[in-house]
Structure formats: C-alpha cells, structure tokens
C-alpha cells in the first residue's frame, strides 16, 4: 500500500501501512521492486558481479580494521623487548587506537557526505598507510603512539563508511548478507594478524598491514560511487551510470532511479543535517534504535573479552596466550559467516534476539565458573569450573559473532534519512567507540573487584538487549532504504499519538 509522507511536517496520508510490515520479517515484495526485478531478467549476472566486486573491494578496509585492532596482541612481547617499553607504555600504545577511532568517528560522516563514500575510504586508506609507516620506522614510544593514533583514525572512518556504502549499493534482497561481510572481514583480519604474529617479527607484521589498504586504494578506481550519494549531490548523469552498472546493462532501473530521485527531492526541502537536529522528536526513534543497539553491543563486554582473552584463559587454568587468541578469533570467523548466510533469510530481529540471548547465557556460564572458583567450598570442582568458564567463553564469542557484532552496524547504515546520515552515523559510531574505550579501560578494575560480577553485568546487558530489540527495533529485511524511512515515520506516529503535532 502506498504511503505518502511530508518529510518537512511529518504528515502521513490516510493510506498508511500497518506497522506490522515494519516489525515482522515477512516477505516484502513491493510493486516497484517486482517490476524492476522482472525487467532485470538476463542482466542479473552482471548486476550481482558488480555488486559483489564492489563489496569485496570495500571490505578490504574492514579487513584492515580487524588487522589494526588485533595487531597489539601478537606484537606485545617482542615490541616491549626490542624497544625497552614498560607495560604502561605499551598499554598506552594499544589504547590509542580507540582514541583515534573516536576522532575518526566524529569526522567520518562529514567526510563521507562531502567527498563521497569512496573519498572517505581513500582518506581512511591514507591514514592506515601513514600510521603503519610511522610504526614500522619507530624506535621510541612517542612515535609508536603517533602511528597508532593515526591508524586508529582510519579505523573510525572505515567503521562508518564501509557498511553505509554497501547498504547503498546493494539490492534489498542482498543488503543484509553483503553488509554483514563487513563484520566477517573484521574478524578475518583479527584472525590473520594473530596467525601471522606467531610467524613474523612485529615490524614485518606492521609491513604486512600495508597490503590490504594498498589494495583498497587501487580497487576504488574500479568500482562505482554510491548512487544515492551521487543523487543527493546532484550528479545525475553519474548517478544513472552508477546505478546501471550496479544493476546490470540489461536491467531497467527506471523504477528504482525514480524512487531514489523522488526521495532525494523531498529531502532537498529540508535544511542540511546538523548535530542539534538529531535531538528533534522526528528523529528520536531513529536515534533510540541506532544508539541503543551500539550501547548494548559494547555493554555486553566484547572488547574486554577480546583484549583480555588470554587473561581470562589463564584464570580458567589455560596458560597459552597464542592458543587463547587464535581460538577466539578462529571461532568468530565461521559464526560471522553463518550470520551472513542467515541475515536475509531470518531477518535482523530474530538473529539479534538469539544472539543477545546466547551472549547472556555465555556470560552467566563464565560468571558462575568464577563465582565457584572464588569460594573454597567448590575447590574440589576445579576442573569442572575451568571447563564451564571455557565453554561459556566460547558460547559468548560464537553467539556475539552471529548477530550482535555485525547487525547494529547494518541497521545503523539503513535507518537514517540521507540528509541526516552523515551526522547521525558519526554520532552512533562515536558512541560505539566511546563504549569500547570505557569497557576496555574499566575491565581490569572490574575483574579485580569481582571476576564473576563482571560477567554477570555483561550477561545482564545481553538480556536487556533482547528486550530492547523485541520492543523497539523494527525489521528492515526486504525493504529498500526509502521504504525503511517510510516505516520508521509510520511507526513513530502510531506509537506517539501526539507526534503528528510535534512533527509540524
């Protein structure tokens, strides 16, 4: 059913769709999409090939993201010995990636809006390259810190730009799976750097870090810019060429092009998106969903678990740092791949709820193990408690990778209107990295206070995330980005009786 919304006033015509369309993972086959799909017969092979090629190239940035995040773990011992660093100096080196990522997150939206999605990825690539070169030639702690900070900036820009670009170029029936390859590439990058770290020196490991970003820089010359961004900035000829390239030469893209243009024309009447605009009531629901998912993602403790996996394994009675790191990273990759396969079949909401529930169960298992280890009455069960902790940790990693790790980034790339996407995406990405920093910096203190209590807190966050998704997060599977905006406006108006007046 057609819905017409005045984006300036928030008025919705009488022919509104039932909000169940936004919430249920039902099959969504809009009339325009069916027409477009029918007209693409014979052109789908070319379409899929171009979309897949574009996705493969941009997720090299995500691979670099994961490589950069994971680098500090295998490099630690050798770097401290070679350069005579203290543990405190190395901790500063490791943490500066998160600070750089927060700075990158703040600027990523504006860069992507001004320079385009490809332009932003070029900035991120240059940041990675400069950061790695500084680290490679470093002989003192200060230059190491500067290099890590610069590389972290690239991580922040990448974490916003890659999922947004993929979401904007893919057809709606493939968008979930392909956007989630962003998370798959991040986990693959972590696994690669852990494995290479067992074989090569820390300087050579840094040199190898140049490879993905160099390939990304070259690959960007062979893929189209986001058609939605081109339409937004008024480059209509390039918009049509890019959309045709992505959908195939034989595909009639007139219906999709008209839908995108109509949506962009409606947005042109609105003022340019500013940070303060996000606090208007008409964007409240978008922000609650986007920020809420990132808060629960980080509150579930993933960065504490990843950064301190070896510490947790030692507390469980396992002494091999390499075994801890590699086993965690190796489990992430297949579970994230499973999430990619399920994304457009089950929908976002079911995967998020199953994942959040699994995260909670894993945390409660680890917390229970530590609780028993803290009490002498369970001393005779030491082997059992260690196995319980290990099993809980693996359950946690597996279930987090299935959905909680990647889906919030997918939904972030889908839900914001294009005029607000840059500033809103920057804010949401900043929240994610700030949450990562808070959890990472406080985890040692939490662990000293109570190891069991730490994981019970993470488990409670996982449980709350299930309730949050069930009550507030709409299903975006099978909808174009324009249809998602319509469903969000409809949902907000129906849930808020006075919204019609507020939005005026």
């Amino acid at each position: 059913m057609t819905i017409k919304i005045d984006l300036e006033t928030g008025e919705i015509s009488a022919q509104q769709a039932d909000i169940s369309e936004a919430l249920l993972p039902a099959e969504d086959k809009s009339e325009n999409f069916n027409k477009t799909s029918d007209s693409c017969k014979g052109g789908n092979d070319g379409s899929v090939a171009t979309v897949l090629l574009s996705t493969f190239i941009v997720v090299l940035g995500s691979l670099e993201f994961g490589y950069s995040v994971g680098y500090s773990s295998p490099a630690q011992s050798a770097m401290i010995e070679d350069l005579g660093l203290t543990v405190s100096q190395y901790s500063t080196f490791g943490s500066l990636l998160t600070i750089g990522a927060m700075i990158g997150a703040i600027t990523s939206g504006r860069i992507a809006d001004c320079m385009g999605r490809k332009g932003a990825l070029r900035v991120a690539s240059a940041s990675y390259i400069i950061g790695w070169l500084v680290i490679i030639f470093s002989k003192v702690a200060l230059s190491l810190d500067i290099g890590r900070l610069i590389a972290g900036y690239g991580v922040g820009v990448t974490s916003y730009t890659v999922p947004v670009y993929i979401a904007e170029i893919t057809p709606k029936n493939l968008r979930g799976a392909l956007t989630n390859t962003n998370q798959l590439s991040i986990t693959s990058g972590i696994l690669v750097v852990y494995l290479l770290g067992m074989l090569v020196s820390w300087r050579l490991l840094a040199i190898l870090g140049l490879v993905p970003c160099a390939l990304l820089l070259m690959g960007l010359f062979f893929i189209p810019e986001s058609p939605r961004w081109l339409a937004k900035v008024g480059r209509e000829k390039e918009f049509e060429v890019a959309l045709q390239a992505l959908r195939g030469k034989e595909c009639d893209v007139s219906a999709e092009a008209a839908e995108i243009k109509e949506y962009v024309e409606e947005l042109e009447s609105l003022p340019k998106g500013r940070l303060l605009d996000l606090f208007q009531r008409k964007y409240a629901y978008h922000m609650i969903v986007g920020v809420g998912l990132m808060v629960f993602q980080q509150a579930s403790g993933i960065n504490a678990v990843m950064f301190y996996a070896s510490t947790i394994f030692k507390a469980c009675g396992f002494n091999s740092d390499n075994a801890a790191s590699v086993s965690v990273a190796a489990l992430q990759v297949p579970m994230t791949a499973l999430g990619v396969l399920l994304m457009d079949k089950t929908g976002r909401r079911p995967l998020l709820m199953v994942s959040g529930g699994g995260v909670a169960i894993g945390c409660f298992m680890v917390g229970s193990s530590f609780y028993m280890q803290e009490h002498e009455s369970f001393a005779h069960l030491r082997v059992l408690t260690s196995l319980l902790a290990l099993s809980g940790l693996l359950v946690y990693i597996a279930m987090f990778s299935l959905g909680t790790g990647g889906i919030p980034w997918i939904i972030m790339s889908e839900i914001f209107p294009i005029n607000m996407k840059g500033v809103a995406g920057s804010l949401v990405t900043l929240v994610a990295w700030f949450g990562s920093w808070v959890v990472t910096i406080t985890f040692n203190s939490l662990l000293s206070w109570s190891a069991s209590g730490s994981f019970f807190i993470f488990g409670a966050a996982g449980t709350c995330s299930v309730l949050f998704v069930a009550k507030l997060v709409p299903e975006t599977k099978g909808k174009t980005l324009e249809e998602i905006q319509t469903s969000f406006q409809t949902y907000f108006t129906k849930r808020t009786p006075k919204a019609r007046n507020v939005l005026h």
Side-chain angles (χ1 to χ4, degrees):
M1 185 175 291
T2 302
I3 300 173
K4 182 67 176 176
I5 299 177
D6 187 326
L7 294 179
E8 178 67 38
T9 65
E11 285 290 340
I12 302 178
S13 66
Q15 293 181 314
Q16 295 177 0
D18 194 319
I19 189 56
S20 61
E21 293 179 6
L23 294 177
L24 297 176
E27 304 226 1
D28 182 82
K29 307 289 183 182
S30 67
E31 183 178 345
N32 280 349
F33 183 73
N34 285 336
K35 287 180 180 179
T36 303
S37 297
D38 290 341
S39 64
C40 288
K41 290 176 181 177
N44 275 342
D45 290 343
S47 167
V48 172
T50 305
V51 170
L52 291 178
L53 174 64
S54 301
T55 300
F56 173 77
I57 288 173
V58 297
V59 296
L60 288 170
S62 304
L63 184 73
E64 184 67 59
F65 173 164
Y67 194 98
S68 300
V69 168
Y71 174 79
S72 58
S73 180
Q76 180 172 353
S77 299
M79 190 180 286
I80 289 175
E81 183 179 346
D82 287 355
L83 301 182
L85 304 177
T86 65
V87 174
S88 176
Q89 286 176 319
Y90 194 81
S91 296
T92 300
F93 168 76
S95 65
L96 281 171
L97 183 89
T98 306
I99 304 299
M102 284 193 279
I103 299 171
I106 294 170
T107 60
S108 59
R110 286 298 185 195
I111 292 173
D113 280 350
C114 294
M115 300 178 64
R117 308 338 185 191
K118 289 171 60 177
L121 289 173
R122 289 189 176 100
V123 170
S125 298
S127 179
Y128 285 128
I129 290 171
I130 294 170
W132 283 123
L133 288 174
V134 173
I135 290 172
I136 290 164
F137 294 105
S138 290
K139 295 184 178 180
V140 295
L142 179 60
S143 57
L144 281 175
D145 293 344
I146 292 172
R148 187 71 166 167
L149 187 70
I150 295 172
Y153 182 85
V155 168
V157 175
T158 300
S159 60
Y160 166 75
T161 309
V162 171
V164 167
Y165 175 84
I166 297 173
E168 290 183 346
I169 68 166
T170 51
K172 62 185 180 180
N173 61 312
L174 297 175
R175 189 176 63 243
L178 292 184
T179 306
N180 207 30
T181 58
N182 170 59
Q183 185 68 17
L184 178 60
S185 295
I186 293 171
T187 57
S188 298
I190 294 172
L191 177 59
V192 167
V193 76
Y194 283 175
L195 291 173
L196 289 175
M198 298 168 64
L199 304 172
V200 302
S201 69
W202 66 269
R203 287 191 195 273
L204 180 54
L205 195 63
I207 292 172
L208 293 174
L210 293 167
V211 175
C213 44
L215 292 174
L216 173 61
L217 268 179
M218 291 186 291
L220 289 172
F221 289 102
F222 300 97
I223 63 174
E225 179 59 88
S226 161
R228 286 177 170 85
W229 180 78
L230 291 170
K232 178 193 171 189
V233 297
R235 292 159 62 173
E236 293 208 9
K237 187 172 182 180
E238 293 173 69
F239 157 69
E240 293 172 0
V241 171
L243 187 60
Q244 193 72 65
L246 289 164
R247 299 296 178 259
K249 292 181 180 180
E250 304 301 321
C251 182
D252 181 2
V253 298
S254 57
E256 184 177 4
E259 183 181 15
I260 294 172
K261 285 181 180 178
E262 181 181 0
Y263 180 63
V264 170
E265 286 170 3
E266 289 177 328
L267 289 174
E268 284 179 354
S269 62
L270 298 176
K272 190 175 182 180
R274 298 172 301 171
L275 182 62
L276 291 178
D277 294 337
L278 292 175
F279 299 97
Q280 297 177 25
R281 286 288 297 275
K282 61 184 173 181
Y283 299 123
Y285 181 41
H286 301 74
M287 292 304 300
I288 289 170
V289 172
V291 171
L293 287 174
M294 291 302 182
V295 168
F296 283 117
Q297 181 195 64
Q298 296 303 321
S300 64
I302 183 59
N303 285 291
V305 173
M306 289 302 297
F307 288 178
Y308 298 100
S310 59
T311 302
I312 296 169
F313 270 69
K314 286 179 181 178
C316 298
F318 300 90
N319 295 319
S320 174
D321 289 358
N322 287 333
S325 300
V326 172
S327 61
V328 166
L331 181 59
Q332 281 189 302
V333 174
M335 291 305 298
T336 305
L338 179 61
V340 170
L341 296 175
L342 294 176
M343 187 67 58
D344 287 312
K345 297 182 184 297
T346 65
R348 283 57 153 166
R349 278 165 47 85
L351 269 185
L352 270 176
M353 288 189 281
V354 170
S355 177
V359 163
I361 291 170
C363 286
F364 289 134
M365 289 171 67
V366 176
S368 298
S369 170
F370 283 139
Y371 178 82
M372 288 188 285
Q373 291 181 36
E374 291 164 0
H375 293 78
E376 290 299 324
S377 57
F378 295 100
H380 62 289
L381 299 175
R382 184 66 63 187
V383 174
L384 180 61
T385 55
S386 294
L387 289 175
L388 179 62
L390 177 61
S391 300
L393 189 61
L394 295 179
V395 167
Y396 173 93
I397 293 295
M399 298 311 294
F400 182 91
S401 302
L402 184 66
T404 305
I407 295 178
W409 295 101
I410 295 173
I411 293 178
M412 179 275 290
S413 70
E414 294 175 328
I415 62 175
F416 293 109
I418 197 167
N419 68 311
M420 299 301 297
K421 185 169 283 190
V423 65
S426 292
L427 180 60
V428 171
T429 306
L430 175 62
V431 167
W433 283 107
F434 180 74
S436 169
W437 176 76
V438 169
V439 170
T440 304
I441 203 169
T442 60
F443 183 66
N444 272 334
S445 299
L446 279 174
L447 213 56
S448 299
W449 163 70
S450 172
S452 59
S454 302
F455 280 90
F456 287 145
I457 291 172
F458 296 152
T463 303
C464 291
S465 73
V466 176
L467 300 175
F468 178 80
V469 173
K471 291 291 184 181
L472 288 172
V473 178
E475 181 58 71
T476 58
K477 169 197 168 187
K479 297 180 182 296
T480 66
L481 298 182
E482 290 71 32
E483 289 167 346
I484 290 170
Q485 294 310 308
T486 296
S487 66
F488 260 70
Q489 294 284 354
T490 306
Y491 182 79
F492 176 68
T493 305
K494 284 200 168 188
R495 280 294 183 98
T496 313
K498 296 181 180 180
R500 201 181 288 272
N501 294 327
V502 172
L503 290 173
H504 277 276

